[in-house]
Amino acid sequence: MYKQSTMHKNQEAVDELGRRAYDIAQEIYPFCRSLTGEGVRQTLKALQRHIPLAIHEVPSGTTAYDWTVPLEWNVRDAYIKDAQGRRVIDFQRCNLHLVGYSVPFKGTLKREELLKHVHVHPTVPDAVPYRHSYYQDSWGFCATHRQREELLDEQYEVCVDTSLVPGHLTYGEVIVPGRTDAVMLVWTHTCHPSLANDNASGIGVAAVLAACLGAKSRHLTYRIVFGPATLGPLVWLSANEAVVPRIQHGIVLACAGDLGSMTYVRSRRGNAPVDRAMAHCLKQAGRPYVIRDFAPEGYDQRQFCSPGFDLAMGCVMRTPYGEYAQYHTSADDMTFITPAGLGDTMVTLLDVCDTLDNDRTYVNTNPYGEPHLGKRGLYQDAASLGMGWTLNYSDGRHSLLDIAERANMPFAAIAVGAERLRMSGLLREITRNN
Ligand code: ZN
């Protein structure tokens, strides 16, 4: 009964949340994001219209552990023109056509020379691949197989009107203050140009998540950070070393909007509360899902779970990167992600945040036999809210999450039951689990 009504209520919420995330993803999808530059600023400024986001600018040359913030990269224009002066490959039409971080170049090239700079996708002929050349002194274009094959003129005019000058790396952060300073960190990357699932979807979902978390009083303090992959976490960690010991839980969010089932990659610790909460919520939701062990690959858990930090951060995706044909190509567009997929990711994340936020340990104040629930008006809902489980296992050694796992019931039901038992004096809180 409890479950049915929750499912019905959730279904409406799923559609509404997914639509909000989709609208934000669509708004920021066209911008030419990269490791640095105006596209990232445009994206973060767009988010500021939805959430109270602080934008941080970190100067080129700033070091973060073994890394250094590079020169800022911006694009004014980029194209290849044929002998008739037609732009046969044009950055203005699709920003994936230019290899990210291409150095400036202007000139006329013979066909054979030009083709060395025109990359195609090895297996998806009709799509423009996504490439970048961070930390290399080179330029290039990306094209479909057909576009490359049609480059038959003797020579072409090439324009890569970019700038690489001292500037900034830009990231954004929303802090949703809780009653304690224990932190849950949510990280999503912002460095991909017009690609929808990787990564406009993560940006949309993280923004709506920040808005939802701020809508009610919370135990944990949430930090939702939007920054470039790899270097971004290192810059953030080095600027927030005082916060790091307070990070109790974390999620790296990516590929959040396709219609594949949810994938969770455990933290390096493997059995941290976030790993257990995620496994519990996915199981109780009753939809297909996959859980994988940590590996030093994939998204920014590579940095957060490096041995010096070893933070309790897992990675939430739907279909994992590299396991869908559209990955890192122009086919990863706004038709590949849906409000339904985004909404499902949103609901899962909110469920996990609520679980971690509300987990606590009680003791049963009446442990000799079962307390008489009928005379306290609790009998009616006792079974559906798992009160027998909560009373029995509230011995000071089992938290509500332990009990929900043991009872194989949704954490939310156990928590509602526990609150009613507490109100009637049958439970006393001893610790918060954060
Ligand atoms: Zn990517």
Side-chain angles (χ1 to χ4, degrees):
M1 184 107 126
Y2 181 89
K3 200 172 176 184
Q4 273 177 1
S5 61
T6 303
M7 277 173 74
H8 181 255
K9 198 172 132 223
N10 269 1
Q11 196 51 56
E12 287 171 6
V14 169
D15 298 342
E16 161 63 14
L17 290 170
R19 172 54 61 187
R20 285 169 67 187
Y22 189 90
D23 288 348
I24 292 175
Q26 191 158 44
E27 187 183 347
I28 57 105
Y29 173 77
F31 303 144
C32 183
R33 282 167 294 275
S34 187
L35 177 52
T36 63
E38 276 308 317
V40 179
R41 276 185 207 101
Q42 277 177 297
T43 301
L44 299 178
K45 281 178 188 159
L47 295 183
Q48 281 183 324
R49 292 195 288 275
H50 302 275
I51 47 173
L53 183 89
I55 296 178
H56 299 267
E57 299 277 3
V58 182
S60 302
T62 304
T63 56
Y65 307 103
D66 202 33
W67 296 66
T68 305
V69 175
L71 299 174
E72 182 177 324
W73 184 69
N74 283 292
V75 190
R76 276 177 295 269
D77 201 1
Y79 56 82
I80 298 172
K81 270 187 191 170
D82 67 9
Q84 285 80 48
R86 292 178 305 196
R87 288 180 175 226
V88 287
I89 293 178
D90 186 0
F91 167 82
Q92 306 293 351
R93 260 198 307 229
C94 167
N95 58 32
L96 298 177
H97 278 314
L98 182 64
V99 171
Y101 260 78
S102 282
V103 299
F105 178 82
K106 265 194 174 74
T108 302
L109 288 186
K110 284 206 158 56
R111 180 175 175 272
E112 309 79 70
E113 200 50 42
L114 172 64
L115 289 182
K116 291 179 193 161
H117 294 271
V118 180
H119 310 287
V120 295
H121 196 281
T123 57
V124 189
D126 295 336
V128 180
Y130 162 53
R131 280 210 187 193
H132 56 74
S133 60
Y134 297 159
Y135 315 108
Q136 291 166 37
D137 204 10
S138 66
W139 60 268
F141 286 85
C142 295
T144 65
H145 285 213
R146 185 176 185 163
Q147 282 175 317
R148 194 175 192 275
E149 281 157 15
E150 286 177 350
L151 295 173
L152 296 169
D153 289 356
E154 294 247 310
Q155 58 181 33
Y156 287 88
E157 183 193 332
V158 175
C159 165
V160 181
D161 188 5
T162 57
S163 62
L164 270 161
V165 294
H168 295 85
L169 176 152
T170 314
Y171 70 87
E173 179 165 1
V174 183
I175 300 178
V176 181
R179 294 184 294 276
T180 71
D181 63 3
V183 170
M184 172 144 181
L185 178 65
V186 178
W187 176 276
T188 197
H189 60 286
T190 52
C191 51
H192 290 35
S194 293
L195 295 165
N197 205 33
D198 180 19
N199 62 199
S201 72
I203 297 172
V205 167
V208 179
L209 182 69
C212 292
L213 290 171
K216 73 177 186 189
S217 170
R218 296 271 166 188
H219 179 71
L220 295 164
T221 289
Y222 292 82
R223 286 173 172 250
I224 296 104
V225 191
F226 304 80
T230 309
L231 182 56
L234 297 175
V235 165
W236 187 88
L237 286 161
S238 67
N240 289 278
E241 282 183 340
V243 178
V244 170
R246 292 193 269 116
I247 299 174
Q248 306 272 324
H249 322 287
I251 292 288
V252 172
L253 176 63
C255 302
D258 63 275
L259 282 174
S261 50
M262 294 291 301
T263 303
Y264 177 66
V265 182
R266 290 188 185 96
S267 74
R268 181 175 181 269
R269 297 185 194 176
N271 198 31
V274 66
D275 301 318
R276 293 180 48 222
M278 188 59 74
H280 176 76
C281 292
L282 288 171
K283 182 181 173 196
Q284 292 299 321
R287 296 180 291 272
Y289 64 94
V290 174
I291 295 182
R292 296 181 179 181
D293 282 327
F294 173 80
E297 58 192 35
Y299 290 108
D300 287 317
Q301 65 272 27
R302 296 184 347 261
Q303 315 308 327
F304 295 113
C305 297
S306 58
F309 296 109
D310 197 18
L311 293 172
M313 286 184 75
C315 177
V316 168
M317 298 173 281
R318 300 192 70 80
T319 305
Y321 74 95
E323 296 181 26
Y324 51 95
Q326 296 87 341
Y327 173 71
H328 277 193
T329 77
S330 56
D332 180 2
D333 62 17
M334 289 303 293
T335 64
F336 183 55
I337 66 172
T338 63
L342 294 160
D344 188 50
T345 307
M346 282 289 323
V347 167
T348 306
L349 289 172
L350 283 169
D351 198 14
V352 167
C353 291
D354 282 345
T355 300
L356 291 166
D357 217 85
N358 292 310
D359 194 22
R360 63 193 81 174
T361 303
Y362 291 104
V363 283
N364 180 340
T365 58
N366 193 337
Y368 301 102
E370 291 179 331
H372 195 291
L373 298 179
K375 70 181 183 190
R376 295 177 173 89
L378 295 170
Y379 183 74
Q380 188 82 10
D381 300 321
S384 65
L385 298 178
M387 290 185 193
W389 288 98
T390 303
L391 286 165
N392 191 294
Y393 278 94
S394 287
D395 54 5
R397 296 196 310 271
H398 296 87
S399 76
L400 294 184
L401 178 57
D402 296 327
I403 295 167
E405 283 181 333
R406 191 81 179 72
N408 193 19
M409 290 182 65
F411 178 89
I414 294 290
V416 168
E419 177 59 12
R420 290 183 59 185
L421 291 167
R422 187 191 68 79
M423 299 275 283
S424 67
L426 290 172
L427 292 181
R428 179 168 54 82
E429 183 176 324
I430 56 165
T431 53
R432 280 287 190 154
N433 289 62
N434 296 293

